[in-house]
Amino acid sequence: MIAVCLFLVLRIKAQQTEMSEYRKSDRLKSAFIKALAREIRTPLHSVSGLAEIIAKDDLYLSKEEKKGISDQILYNAGMISTLLDEVAIYSEDGSKGHRLEDERFSPNRLCQRCINSNRSRMAEGVKMVYNQKLGDEFFVSAERHIVELVLNKLVFSACKYTQKGEILVECTCDSTRHRLSIFVENTGAMIPEDRKKFLFTWFETPDLKAEETEFDLSVAQRLAAKIGGYIRLDENYKRGTRMEFTLPVR
């Protein structure tokens, strides 16, 4: 009889724990969707505004203006696609993890592509450069799509908080050629001391009113972890902010 009662008590506690985890997961997903909905409004509003311009009957556009509008639509469509990719990756079963789909790519080209896709986000007068340290013949194998999603978020965050000066991106590989590190540094506003501990913790405390950058960096950290990587803040860098994204490669 005692054994039966003990079994029932343990069973009830286990079910309560499961319900608590389910409620926490449900709150997390709701907060995540709300945060992404906030992010997706910006490119949607931009596309909507451009569509209204194109629809005007009395509007004449030069080739350069048409090209500019086309580039902006494609850019914002790319932002929406990226956000949808993040939803798809995040919604995967955490117990199974992300199924790696390695792709051979050039880190130099990937970094340059991320820089070019974010140039329109820079404040006027800010320079963004790639400090190439790897040879053009250097290629690695990794989950390129996730690497690009993470790096885009780091570069985007740098653009948002750099009003003057420059943004520098560089990439290095260790002597074993199995660990790649990508650095994004800027001369923008430094992260306040009291917010540093929240940079990558949005998923642990989704009910707190976090800064938008804290949400972005938490998503980036979660994506990086799916491919065995991580992001860290270089606290020794004093000219602004410097982020390091490190990942295993083959």
Side-chain angles (χ1 to χ4, degrees), residues 111-128:
C111 290
Q112 196 62 63
R113 187 162 59 247
C114 288
I115 288 173
N116 291 338
S117 66
N118 283 280
R119 287 196 185 281
S120 61
R121 301 177 177 185
M122 293 189 304
E124 187 176 351
V126 172
K127 292 196 307 181
M128 182 153 51

Side-chain angles (χ1 to χ4, degrees), residues 152-176:
N152 261 317
K153 279 199 167 291
L154 295 181
V155 174
F156 177 45
S157 293
C159 289
K160 279 198 295 187
Y161 292 99
T162 306
Q163 297 304 311
K164 61 181 180 179
E166 68 174 18
I167 298 167
L168 178 70
V169 179
E170 65 180 31
C171 184
T172 62
C173 194
D174 69 359
S175 58
T176 68

Side-chain angles (χ1 to χ4, degrees), residues 49-74:
L50 292 168
E52 290 179 5
I53 292 174
I54 295 173
K56 292 181 178 179
D57 294 332
D58 57 345
L59 180 68
Y60 170 77
L61 296 173
S62 66
K63 285 185 178 181
E64 291 76 17
E65 289 170 328
K66 289 179 181 177
K67 178 70 166 54
I69 290 177
S70 174
D71 288 345
Q72 289 183 59
I73 290 174
L74 290 173

Side-chain angles (χ1 to χ4, degrees), residues 7-146:
F7 172 79
L8 290 174
V9 169
L10 293 174
R11 182 63 179 166
I12 290 171
K13 284 187 176 180
Q15 288 180 338
Q16 288 175 336
T17 300
E18 288 177 5
M19 287 298 296
S20 177
E21 288 297 319
Y22 174 80
R23 285 193 290 268
K24 180 181 177 182
S25 176
D26 193 49
R27 288 197 304 271
L28 181 60
K29 287 181 179 179
S30 296
F32 180 75
I33 290 170
K34 287 179 181 177
L36 276 181
R38 178 190 64 198
E39 285 200 10
I40 209 169
R41 286 193 188 100
T42 299
L44 279 177
H45 287 165
S46 179
V47 170
S48 176
L50 292 168
E52 290 179 5
I53 292 174
I54 295 173
K56 292 181 178 179
D57 294 332
D58 57 345
L59 180 68
Y60 170 77
L61 296 173
S62 66
K63 285 185 178 181
E64 291 76 17
E65 289 170 328
K66 289 179 181 177
K67 178 70 166 54
I69 290 177
S70 174
D71 288 345
Q72 289 183 59
I73 290 174
L74 290 173
Y75 168 75
N76 284 288
M79 281 187 67
I80 295 170
S81 178
T82 295
L83 290 169
L84 294 176
D85 284 341
E86 290 172 14
V87 173
I89 294 170
Y90 173 74
S91 65
E92 291 171 346
D93 186 347
S95 62
K96 295 179 181 177
H98 179 72
R99 183 167 59 86
L100 294 178
E101 295 181 1
D102 278 7
E103 180 181 338
R104 194 159 175 76
F105 66 92
S106 163
N108 288 333
R109 293 177 188 171
L110 183 142
C111 290
Q112 196 62 63
R113 187 162 59 247
C114 288
I115 288 173
N116 291 338
S117 66
N118 283 280
R119 287 196 185 281
S120 61
R121 301 177 177 185
M122 293 189 304
E124 187 176 351
V126 172
K127 292 196 307 181
M128 182 153 51
V129 297
Y130 177 52
N131 183 21
Q132 184 171 330
K133 292 192 171 183
L134 301 173
D136 289 332
E137 74 287 349
F138 187 82
F139 278 70
V140 296
S141 291
E143 196 0 318
R144 181 205 55 80
H145 185 55
I146 291 185

